[in-house]
Amino acid sequence: MARLRLGISPCPNDTFAFHQLLARYGDEYELIIDDVEALNGMAEAGALDIAKISVAAYGRLRPDWALLRAGGAAGHGVGPLLVAAREGAEGVVAIPGARTTAALLLRQLGPRETVEMRFDRIEQAVLDGAVAMGVLIHEGRFTYADRGLVKIADLGEVWEQRQQVPIPLGAIAMRRALGAEQSATFDARLRSSVEHALAHPDDSAAFVRTHAQEMDPDVVRQHIDLYVNDYTVRLDERAVETLLQFGAEQGLFAGSEAPLFLHEG
């Protein structure tokens, strides 16, 4: 039986959440680890079977992909930040990919000229003056001030004030063709993996460090504490639908009546 192609990001919240699942069932999956925007593209191209994706990207994938309830990244106070080298900056904004939730949330502030850039290069591009501003995700939330950047807007704060729902940043999606049974099995495995990680955080420490590369250990801990929470155990369906509606209103994708989930749960 062919192994399912599973894509996750190297970010601590993903490696923390998936560690136990991979330790127990890793031989059933072909693991691909890459930046979330790269995973968005691979999912859209049909190169993956199960993937961590941006919720905004799911708007384009929904006819052929369903979401899982476990493994997502959402919450309050977790949103992307718009930063600059100085107050009052104007000009081009670097975004971590056109399909990302961060790029969609930037649209709350009105039209902007943007340029796509890998998420871990945006801070330096702003510091170097290559762009006027940048939208930071992941660890950038914890490091921008120490590097001399200033916050122009917290895009998550804007979202929460306007929509009154948590920010659904990312989720785990699976091709609908795999069916409800596969969906239920993987979802249960992943939920168990997340719950194990929360109860035994030291078990995944080495795996997380391996993929966090040069990230400071304190930043790794903050990253996990912020992005792994109750919404990682169970997705907030209303928040997801609210974001997808906003994306459709922005003309990024057509609305879809396909159910979010393949199985009951």
Side-chain angles (χ1 to χ4, degrees), residues 17-70:
F18 274 86
H19 172 258
Q20 182 70 4
L21 182 149
L22 294 169
R24 295 185 64 185
Y25 307 106
D27 58 347
E28 298 181 27
Y29 305 102
E30 178 188 342
L31 182 63
I32 297 95
I33 298 182
D34 211 330
D35 165 55
V36 71
E37 177 67 341
L39 297 175
N40 290 336
M42 283 187 270
E44 192 169 337
L48 296 170
D49 298 303
I50 307 169
K52 170 67 174 290
I53 60 168
S54 302
V55 171
Y58 181 66
R60 299 165 66 159
L61 298 169
R62 189 169 184 171
D64 299 314
W65 288 71
L67 296 183
L68 302 182
R69 292 176 174 83

Side-chain angles (χ1 to χ4, degrees), residues 83-86 121-134 143-150:
V83 303
R86 57 178 177 80
R121 297 174 182 164
I122 292 177
E123 268 189 348
Q124 194 60 49
V126 176
L127 288 166
D128 291 343
V131 291
M133 291 174 280
T143 60
Y144 76 93
D146 289 341
R147 300 198 67 192
L149 298 176
V150 296

Side-chain angles (χ1 to χ4, degrees), residues 51-212:
K52 170 67 174 290
I53 60 168
S54 302
V55 171
Y58 181 66
R60 299 165 66 159
L61 298 169
R62 189 169 184 171
D64 299 314
W65 288 71
L67 296 183
L68 302 182
R69 292 176 174 83
H76 298 279
V78 300
L81 303 180
L82 178 65
V83 303
R86 57 178 177 80
E87 297 284 355
E90 295 288 343
V92 177
V93 181
I95 57 172
R99 303 177 186 87
T100 60
T101 303
L104 175 55
L105 291 173
L106 179 65
R107 288 172 173 260
Q108 297 175 115
L109 305 184
R112 302 270 175 155
E113 183 181 355
T114 61
V115 59
E116 293 185 64
M117 195 173 294
R118 198 181 146 90
F119 80 93
D120 53 359
R121 297 174 182 164
I122 292 177
E123 268 189 348
Q124 194 60 49
V126 176
L127 288 166
D128 291 343
V131 291
M133 291 174 280
V135 177
L136 300 184
I137 59 175
H138 305 320
E139 63 269 22
R141 183 177 189 88
F142 310 111
T143 60
Y144 76 93
D146 289 341
R147 300 198 67 192
L149 298 176
V150 296
K151 179 174 69 176
I152 303 300
D154 184 326
L155 302 179
E157 189 175 277
V158 175
W159 171 262
E160 291 185 59
Q161 289 175 350
R162 291 181 180 179
Q163 305 293 345
Q164 298 298 302
V165 293
I167 311 158
L169 298 171
I172 309 303
M174 173 182 282
R175 291 192 302 110
R176 292 187 186 275
L178 292 173
E181 185 176 349
Q182 282 270 33
S183 175
T185 295
F186 192 87
D187 209 5
R189 288 178 176 182
L190 183 51
R191 181 177 297 108
S192 176
S193 185
V194 173
E195 290 172 343
H196 179 92
L198 290 169
H200 308 280
D202 291 342
D203 287 3
S204 62
F207 185 64
V208 170
R209 278 197 306 271
T210 297
H211 296 286

Side-chain angles (χ1 to χ4, degrees), residues 239-264:
V240 169
E241 291 285 20
T242 301
L243 187 83
L244 294 175
Q245 181 180 348
F246 178 61
E249 290 169 353
Q250 292 292 309
L252 297 185
F253 41 77
S256 173
E257 296 300 317
L260 284 184
F261 308 111
L262 278 174
H263 68 278
E264 298 296 324

